[in-house]
């Protein structure tokens, strides 16, 4: 007698097992698409990562999300695509042709969110990106992939922006914060990838009045949902894209790779995650 096939399941690998919105998002899609499947959080200490990832399939998983502190280390345990390699971190694992593959879906999360919120954003010639951490790497990759010709990269620690520019080439120009006022009038797209503006962090002091009238403003921060930067941009009549939109859009590809259907970022899903963030 053969045992009944188990429904496909994916997991989130992190340490510690922090509160994440990913189960809420993937359970919503499984439910609304009528797919029998699962998504669970797996707390995996650093010393166990290798064994856990190499036995992912034996453990019954069709793939995984990867979060802090494992996003860099999984590259050596899988076959990363060009995005994951350039960014130096992966957040999504899946199997293809018997091989464990890795990618970084923050790139398409960022770009798809802008496509949905501010179509035509990629006609921008010059973009101004604030911050040079892990999220900035995904954003810069996405900007260059979509043909933005020049990316001004402003960071508190200049050396970090310089290292990022070394990876991505001459289109990325590192700069210090004192250059921001001079760069704003040239930027058709402004992206905040720093943690400034987030609850409990410092304020982001940017005069959006200096941006051109056609500029688009994106903020990766999603707590609060409406950051002061986004409020000021809206008050000026500029188009905006928020951090929650990016969070939802980055989950689309993983779900599609694991469960075989491309899900939609609906207003119902957004409301569900918004409510969870509000009550956190
Ligand atoms: P990270 O690697 O730690 O980088 C943090 C960045 O913020 C660095 O550029 C850092 O500058 C800058 N920064 C922090 N405090 C600052 C201050 N007081 N003044 C000036 N700059 C400051 O973090 P990350 O992973 O890139 O994440 C950055 C933000 O993006 C977080 O708010 C995160 O929640 C958000 N995020 C959102 C999404 C989404 O889906 N919406 C996805 C990824 C990340 P230094 O280099 O000088 O320290």
């Amino acid at each position: 007698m053969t045992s009944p096939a188990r429904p496909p399941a994916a997991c989130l690998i992190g340490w510690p097992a922090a509160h994440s919105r990913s189960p809420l998002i993937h359970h919503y899609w499984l439910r609304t698409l009528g797919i029998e499947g699962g998504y669970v959080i797996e707390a995996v200490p650093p010393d166990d990562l290798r064994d856990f990832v190499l036995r992912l399939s034996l453990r019954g998983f069709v793939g995984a999300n990867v979060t802090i502190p494992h996003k860099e280390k999984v590259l050596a345990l899988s076959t990363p695509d060009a995005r994951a390699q350039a960014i130096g971190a992966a957040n999504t694992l899946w199997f293809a042709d018997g091989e464990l593959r890795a990618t970084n879906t923050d790139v398409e999360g960022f770009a798809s969110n802008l496509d949905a919120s501010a179509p035509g954003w990629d006609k921008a010639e010059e973009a101004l990106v604030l911050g040079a951490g892990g999220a900035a790497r995904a954003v810069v990759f996405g900007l260059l992939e979509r043909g933005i010709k020049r990316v001004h990269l402003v960071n508190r620690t200049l050396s970090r922006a310089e290292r990022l520019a070394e990876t991505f080439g001459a289109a990325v120009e590192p700069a210090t914060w004192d250059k921001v006022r001079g760069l704003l009038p040239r930027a058709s797209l402004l992206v905040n990838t720093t943690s400034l503006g987030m609850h409990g962090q410092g304020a982001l002091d940017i005069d959006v009045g200096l941006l051109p009238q056609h500029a688009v403003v994106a903020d990766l921060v999603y707590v609060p949902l409406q950051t002061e930067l986004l409020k000021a941009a809206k008050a000026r009549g500029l188009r905006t894209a928020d951090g929650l939109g990016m969070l939802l859009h980055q989950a689309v590809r993983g779900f599609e790779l694991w469960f075989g259907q491309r899900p939609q970022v609906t207003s119902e899903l957004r409301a569900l995650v918004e409510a969870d963030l509000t009550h956190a």
Side-chain angles (χ1 to χ4, degrees):
M1 208 171 87
T2 53
S3 56
R6 276 197 295 169
C11 64
L12 170 67
I13 305 171
W15 180 261
H19 181 67
S20 161
R21 273 84 201 180
S22 294
L24 191 61
I25 297 169
H26 292 293
H27 288 156
Y28 168 83
W29 283 331
L30 288 168
R31 195 172 63 248
T32 54
L33 290 168
I35 297 173
E36 206 192 336
Y39 186 97
V40 295
I41 292 185
E42 290 280 357
V44 180
D47 284 349
D48 296 350
L49 181 70
R50 184 183 166 80
D51 177 76
F52 190 93
V53 170
L54 296 181
R55 292 169 182 265
L56 197 62
S57 177
L58 286 174
R59 287 171 197 275
F61 292 115
V62 292
N65 280 136
V66 184
T67 188
I68 294 167
H70 301 317
K71 289 204 265 188
E72 292 81 18
K73 292 202 184 75
V74 289
L75 295 183
L77 304 172
S78 59
T79 304
D81 68 3
R83 289 177 175 183
Q85 281 178 38
I87 293 161
N91 66 357
T92 301
L93 302 173
W94 80 103
F95 292 96
D97 303 325
E99 198 177 57
L100 184 64
R101 306 271 175 91
T103 189
N104 192 310
T105 63
D106 277 343
V107 178
E108 61 232 80
F110 170 70
S112 302
N113 184 38
L114 275 166
D115 285 338
S117 311
W121 65 273
D122 51 353
K123 293 194 181 74
E125 291 266 318
E126 296 189 40
L128 172 54
V129 175
L130 308 173
R137 287 189 162 256
V139 165
V140 170
F141 189 99
L143 293 177
L144 298 181
E145 193 177 60
R146 292 292 289 265
I148 307 300
K149 302 225 167 28
R150 185 172 296 186
V151 178
H152 301 282
L153 188 67
V154 169
N155 199 44
R156 176 178 61 178
T157 312
L158 183 63
S159 58
R160 210 173 176 192
E162 286 170 342
R163 275 204 302 280
L164 200 151
E166 273 167 29
T167 310
F168 290 99
V172 181
E173 293 186 14
T176 45
W177 276 95
D178 55 314
K179 302 290 188 307
V180 168
R181 283 187 74 81
L183 291 170
L184 282 167
R186 298 164 56 175
S188 303
L189 177 65
L190 170 68
V191 188
N192 175 39
T193 79
T194 74
S195 42
L196 292 174
M198 194 169 154
H199 274 322
Q201 302 286 321
L204 178 60
D205 187 17
I206 294 288
D207 184 357
V208 294
L210 295 172
L211 285 165
Q213 189 54 50
H214 64 271
V216 173
V217 176
D219 200 338
L220 267 57
V221 171
Y222 55 88
V223 182
L225 284 170
Q226 287 303 311
T227 60
E228 294 302 320
L229 176 68
L230 293 177
K231 279 191 212 162
K234 280 184 185 160
R236 226 207 108 187
L238 304 180
R239 293 188 298 161
T240 60
D242 66 19
L244 177 56
M246 174 169 163
L247 183 75
L248 299 175
H249 280 280
Q250 69 76 29
V252 167
R253 178 122 188 271
F255 187 94
E256 186 180 20
L257 289 165
W258 306 323
F259 302 114
Q261 281 192 54
R262 190 166 179 82
Q264 298 294 314
V265 174
T266 61
S267 49
E268 188 183 39
L269 172 63
R270 198 184 149 91
L272 203 67
V273 181
E274 264 189 47
D276 187 66
L277 286 169
T278 311
H279 296 120

